[in-house]
Amino acid sequence: MSSVWHPFTQHGLNEPIPQVVRAEGAVLYTVDGARVIDAISSWWVTTHGHCHPRIVDAIREQAGKLDQLIFAGWTHEPAEAVAAGLRAIMPPELAHVFFSDSGSTAVEVALKMALGYHAHTGTGRHRILVMEHSYHGDTIGAMSIGARGVFNAPYAPLLFDVGTIPFPTGDSAATIDALEAACREKPAALIVEPLVLGAGGMLMYASEMLAAMAEVCRRHEVLFIADEVMTGWGRTGTLLACEQAGVVPDILCLAKGLTGGSMPLAVTLAQEPIFAAHRSPDRAKMFYHSSSYTANPIACAAAAANLAIWRDEPVLDRIAALGTGEDAMLGRLSALPGVINPRRCGTIAAIDLQVPDSGYLSSQAPRLMARFREAGVLLRPLGNTIYMMPPYCIDDADLAQVEAAITAAVLDLA
Ligand SMILES: *Cc1c(COP(=O)(O)O)cnc(C)c1O
């Protein structure tokens, strides 16, 4: 029996834990020789495909040259290349690049930047606004700004209080009205997942809504933080989801696809006023955040290779083609009994199952997951929501196999 304690895994259910030895493109190979289609990009990180040769080569080369370097007051070429590469494709206002290791830390950094900005400019603002059903990570600060529920109930005493605006459903005016009201109390910042709330159940909202929220924040001098940890790197059809709303956030969090999904690395980008509030001859105002592996050179080399792939390969064309395939699939799946709310944003496609017990702990999820495992497809439903988010390189045959697995499972459980 393995001594490994797995994340988001109930060891008491004794479910099998497959061991994967190799991956290529959209496919994983297990130690038993099974071929498994990675239809959720290994938890939303793999963009171009597993083991993209250019990323593999970059990692290999960097590992033999410079493996790690203190990043406080020192720098290296791969980090400079990533910062320059980001400057070239991100909105020009986001001029300052702060490195960390994961989406959660990118979010923690964003919160600290926002509060540092308000502290150093003397506004007295510190409250954070969030959207209902949001997910921003699993560290204490990131949990504090995420939806409360079974995920974090035992830790509730550690979580700080935030203001919550409703998720925009049919009545989007309610969201804007609540945001207006909350902004009058002079909060520090609003943080949102642009266009798609991932862990909250692949909930989607219109780009006009995103633009409207950013506009309210701008009028009230509330910092607008975009958590594009999941939505970035083409997932919603554009490089950033914010692009579709014509919004440039004050602070932007990127992680998952930053290295193409190969290495843990994150960045938090900030506009000039936020950097300027920390820049001073006064050492007490420097930005007090670091982790040992900040801007690890090998991870940065992988990110630089990812940026080169975005420059040189038709990534957005692949994304558009995948979206077309998913639309056709959704059309067929939505005709199945008990399937509701078919939706898609970029490469993210989702359906809900009409079941008596919805929510994350819906009894459907483990049953579905077992079905998918048997069918050689890695899908991980969020409660009664089945979604797919494959690597952009997935081919038609594999996409058809994913659809067949979903169809069989839905018909079987109907
Ligand atoms: C996954 C995710 C995070 C957390 O990223 P980790 O790298 O898992 O810490 C934060 N925000 C969003 C929107 C995410 O989807």
Side-chain angles (χ1 to χ4, degrees), residues 20-235:
V20 172
V21 290
R22 189 166 70 79
E24 191 183 343
V27 179
L28 309 172
Y29 297 91
T30 71
V31 70
D32 314 316
R35 181 182 192 276
V36 180
I37 301 167
D38 187 356
I40 59 163
S41 297
S42 279
W43 244 352
W44 321 346
V45 300
T46 309
T47 48
H48 314 295
H50 285 278
C51 298
H52 190 292
R54 289 182 73 167
I55 296 176
V56 172
D57 286 349
I59 290 171
R60 196 173 275 139
E61 198 192 325
Q62 187 58 43
K65 205 153 64 182
L66 173 67
D67 53 351
Q68 163 67 2
L69 177 72
I70 178 173
F71 208 61
W74 292 74
T75 196
H76 50 77
E77 192 275 330
E80 296 297 331
V82 172
L86 288 169
R87 284 304 309 277
I89 57 171
M90 293 292 156
E93 295 91 334
L94 292 165
H96 300 279
V97 180
F98 191 93
F99 287 93
S100 62
D101 315 307
S102 72
S104 300
T105 52
V107 166
E108 300 278 353
V109 164
L111 296 177
K112 287 173 71 172
M113 280 180 178
L115 265 75
Y117 166 81
H118 286 292
H120 300 326
T121 56
T123 68
R125 294 178 179 226
H126 54 81
R127 190 171 167 78
I128 304 294
L129 303 180
V130 306
M131 184 184 276
E132 185 191 14
H133 305 311
S134 293
Y135 176 80
H136 296 290
D138 281 338
T139 51
I140 300 294
M143 278 194 294
S144 295
I145 57 170
R148 305 298 162 94
V150 66
F151 312 102
N152 46 40
Y155 329 118
L158 296 181
L159 306 185
F160 57 79
D161 187 37
V162 296
T164 304
I165 60 168
F167 176 80
T169 45
D171 180 18
S172 55
T175 301
I176 293 299
D177 291 350
L179 180 58
E180 283 278 2
C183 281
R184 280 195 285 275
E185 288 167 30
K186 300 198 182 304
L190 168 71
I191 181 164
V192 292
E193 293 167 85
L195 302 188
V196 186
L197 276 58
M202 299 300 155
L203 305 175
M204 301 177 186
Y205 63 91
S207 59
E208 291 77 13
M209 189 64 214
L210 183 61
M213 290 190 295
E215 173 55 21
V216 173
C217 288
R218 196 193 56 75
R219 266 194 286 109
H220 290 274
E221 295 175 28
V222 173
L223 295 176
F224 186 80
I225 305 174
D227 175 357
E228 295 235 23
V229 169
M230 183 196 74
T231 53
W233 303 107
R235 270 298 158 206

Side-chain angles (χ1 to χ4, degrees), residues 225-251:
I225 305 174
D227 175 357
E228 295 235 23
V229 169
M230 183 196 74
T231 53
W233 303 107
R235 270 298 158 206
T236 68
T238 43
L239 177 64
L240 296 179
C242 280
E243 257 175 76
Q244 295 178 41
V247 163
V248 178
D250 297 293
I251 302 175

